[in-house]
Amino acid sequence: MNDSRPETAAPRDSTPQASLREASVAKMALAGSAFFAVACNGPFLTGALAGRAWTELATWAFAGAMLLLLASLHFLLLSLLLFRPFARPVLAVLIIATAFATYYMQRFGVYLDPSMLRNVVKTDPAEAGELFGWSMVPHLLIYAGIPLLVLGRYRVAKLSLRRSLTMRLAMVLASLGLLVASVMLVFQDFSALMRNQKELRYLITPANYLYSLTRVLVDDTREARAARLPVGTDARLSSSWGKRTRPALFVLVVGETVRASNWGLNGYARQTTPQLAALDMINFRDVTACGTNTETSLPCMFSAVGRRDYDETRIRTSESLLHVLNRAGFQVLWRDNQSGCKGVCEGLPQQQLDLEAIAPLCSDGRCLDEILLRGLDMIVRDAKGNLFVVLHMLGNHGPAYYKRYPDAFRRYTPTCDTGELRKCSQQEIVNAYDNAILYTDDVLAKLVNFLNEQQGRYDTAMLYVSDHGESLGEKGLYLHGVPYAIAPDEQTKVPMTWWLSPGFLGSFGLERTCLGGQALKPWSHDNLFHTVLGLLQVDTNVYAPELDIASACRR
């Protein structure tokens, strides 16, 4: 008996995946590497081709070789990162991260070296929030939105294990071959470029942040496991302390992102430090920072190593000046209105003041620097013996300079009242930046007046020095963090000023006129460690008198 029922068609797969086109991992890696090379490496190509004439055939050959190098390098990276189950998500994450990276590189001229990536990793939410703005939306739509739409139309083709391994090997070999070939085509020019401008490699995106982030994670893991190397284990107060009738109160103020060229006491066209100018300050006009960002400068300036023998691992895994002072018998306290002490005060008393949210000093997760003076009188009153206090300011932290001071200090106008600096003229940016210095001047003057009032009980002193400087649009650069070897003076030259009470000068045998002469000489963060030990007459074998600014002025 025949079955007369009509045949039914096999059911179609109606899942969204069924409507997607298939692409192998190799094709996705090739497309991704081409996109990264052509669309995301403008700063690198601009730097690599700077000074070359486009009328010469050699320039075109070099440009072609650079594009081939960029594509083959990223093809190699993607060959190692993309595996079928996670190929699309991993590539999507790289596209998004690269879109953000290119935005900040193009907008602010930053280099994504390990130092900058350490800053990114350690950025707090309030700081990160100030770096976002509506102007980045068009950039993200072009650099992330369009590529993600294209990626979303494909699914990864399934291959047998044998074919997958064969293809993976072919991808790696092909990328290595193209990489070597691109370098050999222009070897002489390329080797000269990398030898003379090593920092350009941190503009190759996304290889720059992938490498730098790996370095930071590896280094931080190793440092976390290592015990801090003791420094100055023999530290003690010198014999001269037996003759003193009063303990010492020394306040070290660490400024943030204040550059020397805009500091009123340094002869700037604007008097941005009028209150300090009316006080008996010892101002140092030529001081060089240890780094161009807080993550580098802060540990470096408090270390015995410094920039002269720079060893980041040694600095970050060693005790600081504060540990030496504490060992000598000083009560040490770190008061912070920023992002922490970066390990400098590890194991010592510290106060994170931006968490207190005292109205009207605090809003949006940030506090004005006057909060550092709140409660200082109680700390001094309750202290027993010698006291060393560090005040870590928010200072001129960008890009939202306009948020760093109260309205009463909005003297220079018009100001840039947004964190999107390229929306403002350079003069508007400078006006907001200078207003923030005016406020720092006010906070420091109030601190000096407070220390002046404590002279009946203490020999008092204050030392202010900024951690690094800031670019305000010069040479197309904004903010800070340019690799130290090529950083402009705007980012490496910082203000430093001292106030020493008459009681401190007399008790510690210091000649005021001589110190004024020392202020005319060039100094650096390298001198801070040894100068503070010398000023407070702490004996230890790590003290180097030749690095002590005041050693020649001590009776």
Side-chain angles (χ1 to χ4, degrees):
M1 184 173 163
N2 295 330
D3 188 351
S4 59
R5 289 178 299 177
E7 294 183 2
T8 57
R12 293 185 178 181
D13 187 351
S14 60
T15 61
Q17 286 288 327
S19 62
L20 300 180
R21 300 177 183 179
E22 284 194 345
S24 65
V25 170
K27 289 182 179 179
M28 287 189 172
L30 185 60
S33 60
F35 168 71
F36 291 143
V38 175
C40 303
N41 279 276
F44 170 77
L45 292 171
T46 300
L49 297 170
R52 295 178 178 271
W54 286 102
T55 56
E56 298 179 5
L57 183 61
T59 299
W60 290 94
F62 187 75
M66 290 299 96
L67 282 172
L68 181 60
L69 181 147
L70 292 169
S72 55
L73 172 63
H74 290 107
F75 187 53
L76 175 61
L77 287 174
L78 294 179
S79 297
L80 300 174
L81 292 173
L82 301 186
F83 290 87
R84 186 189 173 279
F86 311 107
R88 287 207 311 170
V90 169
L91 189 54
V93 169
L94 288 176
I95 289 171
I96 295 171
T98 301
F100 278 100
T102 54
Y103 174 80
Y104 291 110
M105 291 169 67
Q106 293 172 16
R107 284 275 170 165
F108 301 118
V110 301
Y111 290 69
L112 297 183
D113 62 350
S115 177
M116 178 58 72
L117 260 292
R118 190 183 299 278
N119 268 334
V120 172
V121 171
K122 301 296 177 64
T123 298
D124 59 60
E127 181 178 341
E130 293 177 352
L131 293 170
F132 287 88
W134 288 108
S135 64
M136 67 170 28
V137 173
H139 181 95
L140 296 179
L141 288 175
I142 295 172
Y143 284 82
I146 295 175
L148 289 176
L149 284 175
V150 175
L151 179 63
R153 298 181 61 186
Y154 289 87
R155 63 179 177 180
V156 184
K158 293 182 179 180
L159 298 176
S160 65
L161 179 61
R162 180 178 179 180
R163 188 176 177 187
S164 178
L165 292 175
T166 302
M167 180 175 289
R168 184 77 52 184
L169 179 61
M171 290 167 64
V172 172
L173 292 177
S175 57
L176 286 173
L178 289 171
L179 189 60
V180 172
S182 62
V183 172
M184 296 308 296
L185 284 172
V186 288
F187 179 76
Q188 186 172 353
D189 287 349
F190 181 75
S191 61
L193 180 69
M194 290 296 102
R195 183 172 59 253
N196 298 325
Q197 300 183 59
K198 295 179 180 179
E199 292 74 18
L200 279 179
R201 66 187 186 272
Y202 294 118
L203 297 178
I204 299 175
T205 315
N208 51 3
Y209 69 76
L210 290 173
Y211 165 77
S212 296
L213 182 59
T214 302
R215 271 276 309 273
V216 169
L217 294 177
V218 170
D219 290 348
D220 282 0
T221 300
R222 182 174 62 247
E223 291 167 13
R225 293 175 178 174
R228 283 197 174 267
L229 181 68
V231 174
T233 54
D234 61 336
R236 58 182 177 82
L237 299 180
S238 71
S239 57
S240 62
W241 276 92
K243 304 175 183 178
R244 295 198 172 86
T245 58
R246 290 189 297 266
L249 169 57
F250 196 106
V251 180
L252 173 58
V253 185
V254 179
E256 168 64 30
T257 321
V258 181
R259 66 187 197 178
S261 58
N262 290 52
W263 189 246
L265 291 177
N266 285 351
Y268 182 41
R270 289 174 168 174
Q271 180 48 280
T272 53
T273 54
Q275 295 187 63
L276 291 179
L279 299 172
D280 187 23
M281 307 301 297
I282 303 171
N283 187 67
F284 296 76
R285 294 193 175 202
D286 188 358
V287 179
T288 304
C290 194
T292 60
N293 59 77
T294 304
E295 285 288 337
T296 300
S297 273
L298 210 56
C300 184
M301 66 196 290
F302 279 87
S303 78
V305 179
R307 172 58 64 174
R308 66 195 182 284
D309 297 315
Y310 191 70
D311 183 336
E312 183 176 12
T313 300
R314 182 182 169 192
I315 288 172
R316 299 182 73 86
T317 57
S318 296
E319 291 182 340
S320 73
L321 167 67
L322 303 186
H323 297 94
V324 179
L325 292 172
N326 182 249
R327 188 171 288 120
F330 276 82
Q331 296 180 63
V332 175
L333 173 64
W334 182 285
R335 305 194 90 200
D336 201 281
N337 188 32
Q338 220 219 106
S339 56
C341 69
K342 313 303 180 185
V344 169
C345 62
E346 184 177 301
L348 298 172
Q350 55 183 302
Q351 298 174 347
Q352 188 69 38
L353 301 181
D354 58 5
L355 300 179
E356 295 188 6
I358 299 174
L361 293 179
C362 306
S363 63
D364 300 327
R366 291 290 200 191
C367 297
L368 295 172
D369 278 326
E370 196 172 346
I371 194 175
L372 290 166
L373 306 182
R374 292 288 184 96
L376 194 57
D377 55 341
M378 296 178 62
I379 293 170
V380 171
R381 183 192 64 196
D382 296 339
K384 297 177 181 178
N386 299 309
L387 180 61
F388 190 93
V389 180
V390 181
L391 305 181
H392 188 198
M393 304 183 88
L394 181 58
N396 282 47
H397 197 293
Y401 308 119
Y402 70 102
K403 291 184 177 181
R404 305 295 174 248
Y405 53 89
D407 288 342
F409 291 86
R410 192 173 181 269
R411 179 179 303 175
Y412 304 114
T413 58
T415 56
C416 181
D417 295 335
T418 174
E420 301 180 52
L421 298 180
R422 287 190 181 271
K423 287 186 174 181
C424 303
S425 68
Q426 187 175 21
Q427 189 58 57
E428 289 172 335
I429 296 170
V430 171
N431 287 343
Y433 185 86
D434 286 349
N435 288 338
I437 297 180
L438 278 172
Y439 180 58
T440 291
D441 170 69
D442 181 70
V443 173
L444 293 178
K446 287 177 178 175
L447 174 60
V448 169
N449 291 333
F450 169 77
L451 293 176
N452 200 34
E453 294 170 355
Q454 309 306 312
Q455 288 193 75
R457 181 181 172 189
Y458 289 96
D459 292 328
T460 57
M462 181 204 76
L463 188 158
Y464 168 86
V465 62
S466 184
D467 61 350
H468 56 78
E470 186 89 327
S471 289
L472 302 177
E474 301 88 1
K475 307 179 186 72
L477 297 176
Y478 295 87
L479 305 180
H480 51 268
V482 170
Y484 196 84
I486 62 169
D489 285 350
E490 290 83 7
Q491 296 190 27
T492 59
K493 293 295 184 178
V494 295
M496 181 170 72
T497 191
W498 299 2
W499 178 83
L500 307 177
S501 69
F504 191 94
L505 287 167
S507 179
F508 287 87
L510 294 166
E511 295 285 354
R512 174 65 175 78
T513 303
C514 175
L515 291 174
Q518 292 292 85
L520 302 177
K521 300 177 182 179
W523 303 99
S524 75
H525 278 170
D526 283 13
N527 300 102
L528 181 66
F529 181 96
H530 305 279
T531 297
V532 171
L533 291 179
L535 285 173
L536 295 175
Q537 295 185 2
V538 173
D539 289 341
T540 171
N541 59 10
V542 294
Y543 166 70
E546 67 275 12
L547 294 175
D548 177 1
I549 296 173
S551 63
C553 302
R554 193 169 292 112
R555 292 192 298 269

